[in-house]
């Protein structure tokens, strides 16, 4: 719905422009047609980064935000709760889609994908770790995957709860398990222990 609304706004702007140009006394109207068609496309692109709905809509769940923002049927398997944001994992076929959704005291708002930053990327002995942050919030979301396959033992010094999602790869004949967690603030010494390997994440 998010993108559809922006396309409708762009089309309305283009139609109104065409009508205005036809009624005008300008001689070279084709130049204006091209210019306003380009402006309509630009308007749609700009609005894609401006969730103006946040000014008057508060959603009752992170799932409702995600389904409003994305086209097609969702397959949300996990929502990791943070303090100011929630982290959604949508699993479709062989790919995962992540989205961080900001929340207020009254509910959830639309989070634009460009505001989500992957601030840490670590690779150690086939283990891949990422840390995501939304804008400059104190919420950090960690993903851990052992590309060698199978389950892993994942922990940190704060006894953080790591949630797991499993996927079977038919071509490789292996199960792969991804672990997800939320932490508040990321200090330079923060580390995650994966299969007895200590990986420091805060020194990126």
């Amino acid at each position: 719905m998010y993108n559809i609304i922006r396309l409708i706004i762009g089309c309305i702007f283009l139609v109104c422009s065409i009508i205005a140009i036809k009624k005008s006394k300008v001689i070279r109207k084709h130049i204006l047609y091209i210019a306003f068609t380009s402006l309509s496309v630009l308007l749609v692109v700009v609005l894609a980064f401006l969730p103006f709905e946040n000014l008057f809509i508060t959603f009752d769940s992170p799932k409702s935000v995600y389904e409003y923002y994305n086209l097609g049927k969702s397959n949300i398997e996990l929502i990791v709760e943070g303090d100011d944001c929630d982290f959604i994992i949508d699993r479709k076929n062989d790919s995962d889609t992540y989205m961080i959704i900001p929340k207020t005291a009254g509910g959830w708002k639309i989070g634009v994908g460009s505001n989500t930053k992957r601030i840490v990327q670590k690779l150690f002995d086939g283990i891949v770790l990422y840390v995501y942050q939304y804008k400059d919030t104190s919420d950090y979301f960690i993903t851990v995957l052992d590309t060698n396959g199978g389950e892993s033992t994942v922990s940190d010094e704060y006894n953080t709860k790591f949630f797991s999602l499993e996927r079977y790869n038919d071509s490789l004949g292996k199960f792969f398990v991804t672990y997800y967690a939320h932490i508040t603030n990321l200090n330079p010494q923060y580390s995650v222990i994966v299969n007895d390997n200590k990986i420091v994440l805060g020194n990126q």
Side-chain angles (χ1 to χ4, degrees):
M1 184 61 70
Y2 183 88
N3 289 321
I4 291 175
I5 288 176
R6 280 142 183 83
L7 286 172
I8 291 173
I9 292 174
C11 289
I12 291 173
F13 176 80
L14 180 59
V15 170
C16 292
S17 300
I18 290 173
I19 293 173
I21 293 170
K22 284 184 176 180
K23 291 182 178 181
S24 70
K25 297 181 180 180
V26 178
I27 298 176
R28 297 183 177 180
K29 294 183 178 181
H30 67 281
I31 296 177
L32 290 178
Y33 288 140
I34 295 173
F36 277 90
T37 298
S38 300
L39 284 175
S40 299
V41 173
L42 181 61
L43 177 63
V44 173
V45 172
V46 170
L47 289 178
F49 295 94
L50 298 175
F52 53 81
E53 293 94 333
N54 284 343
L55 296 174
F56 49 86
I57 297 178
T58 299
F59 294 84
D60 60 1
S61 70
K63 180 181 178 181
S64 59
V65 177
Y66 183 84
E67 292 179 341
Y68 177 84
Y69 187 81
N70 294 277
L71 289 174
K73 185 178 180 180
S74 66
N75 184 35
I76 298 172
E77 292 199 9
L78 180 63
I79 299 176
V80 181
E81 295 184 7
D83 299 320
D84 300 309
C85 310
D86 288 341
F87 187 75
I88 280 187
I89 299 96
D90 183 5
R91 312 199 97 182
K92 296 178 182 176
N93 300 321
D94 294 327
S95 64
D96 294 346
T97 300
Y98 299 151
M99 184 175 181
I100 299 180
I101 299 175
K103 56 185 175 182
T104 64
W108 287 261
K109 297 291 186 177
I110 299 171
V112 179
S114 59
N115 289 328
T116 296
K117 303 175 288 185
R118 189 166 69 188
I119 61 170
V120 176
Q121 176 176 323
K122 294 284 186 176
L123 176 61
F124 179 83
D125 195 25
I127 300 169
V128 181
L129 298 97
Y130 295 129
V131 179
Y132 297 89
Q133 179 188 24
Y134 184 79
K135 289 187 174 180
D136 295 320
T137 64
S138 59
D139 284 323
Y140 297 87
F141 298 95
I142 304 169
T143 71
V144 181
L145 170 65
D146 186 348
T147 60
N148 299 305
E151 295 183 347
S152 301
T153 302
V154 186
S155 63
D156 67 7
E157 60 187 297
Y158 302 113
N159 294 318
T160 300
K161 182 175 179 59
F162 284 82
F163 302 90
S164 63
L165 288 178
E166 184 179 279
R167 183 191 297 279
Y168 183 75
N169 187 298
D170 292 322
S171 60
L172 296 177
K174 290 183 179 181
F175 282 98
F176 293 88
V177 183
T178 305
Y179 297 84
Y180 303 90
H182 162 263
I183 62 170
T184 302
N185 295 319
L186 183 67
N187 65 64
Q189 290 77 39
Y190 177 77
S191 61
V192 175
I193 301 172
V194 184
N195 300 332
D196 296 325
N197 297 305
K198 184 176 181 180
I199 305 173
V200 180
L201 300 184
N203 64 351
Q204 188 77 358

